[in-house]
Amino acid sequence: MLRLRLKLPILFLILKWINNHPSNGLLLRADLHTLFDLNLIAINPITMKIHISPTLEKTEYKTIDGKNLRVPENKTCHPNQEFLKQRFEQCKWCQNI
């Protein structure tokens, strides 16, 4: 049986106030979570497309580049666009996308 390990990266965290709403996180496989934390994977906050860093272009991760992020049907549970925008802007390699 194949078992996937999932982690939940927090998009935005304020130490004095932790928001546990679903829009403040993404459910990702453990390896993708690590790459997201390292800013090697970015999600365009407007198009919800996944982009990979140029350093990953010759890896198996190239298959996810340009794919749409799957989001819940309930719009209140969609990732917070402002938080995604902040993360996207941290990825200097994707500013021309």
Side-chain angles (χ1 to χ4, degrees):
M1 180 172 135
L2 177 66
R3 294 177 64 167
L4 293 178
R5 187 167 171 220
L6 301 175
K7 289 187 174 183
L8 185 67
I10 302 300
L11 297 177
F12 189 72
L13 176 66
I14 300 174
L15 295 178
K16 294 181 183 176
W17 175 71
I18 298 175
N19 180 347
N20 289 326
H21 193 273
S23 68
N24 193 32
L26 298 169
L27 186 61
L28 300 172
R29 256 182 9 217
D31 59 330
L32 297 176
H33 173 230
T34 299
L35 295 172
F36 186 78
D37 281 350
L38 294 172
N39 289 330
L40 295 174
I41 291 178
I43 299 166
N44 184 307
I46 297 167
T47 65
M48 292 296 189
K49 288 198 180 292
I50 302 166
H51 299 284
I52 63 165
S53 165
T55 61
L56 297 175
E57 287 178 353
K58 294 184 180 184
T59 69
E60 66 272 14
Y61 297 107
K62 68 182 176 187
T63 61
I64 64 170
D65 191 41
K67 293 208 175 186
N68 290 322
L69 180 70
R70 286 193 280 168
V71 296
E73 288 182 26
N74 183 340
K75 291 190 185 248
T76 63
C77 295
H78 285 198
N80 183 299
Q81 283 190 318
E82 186 56 38
F83 298 160
L84 278 178
K85 181 180 177 214
Q86 290 174 19
R87 290 298 302 260
F88 192 73
E89 290 172 349
Q90 290 175 14
C91 300
K92 302 302 180 198
W93 53 267
C94 66
Q95 295 309 304
N96 294 326
I97 294 175

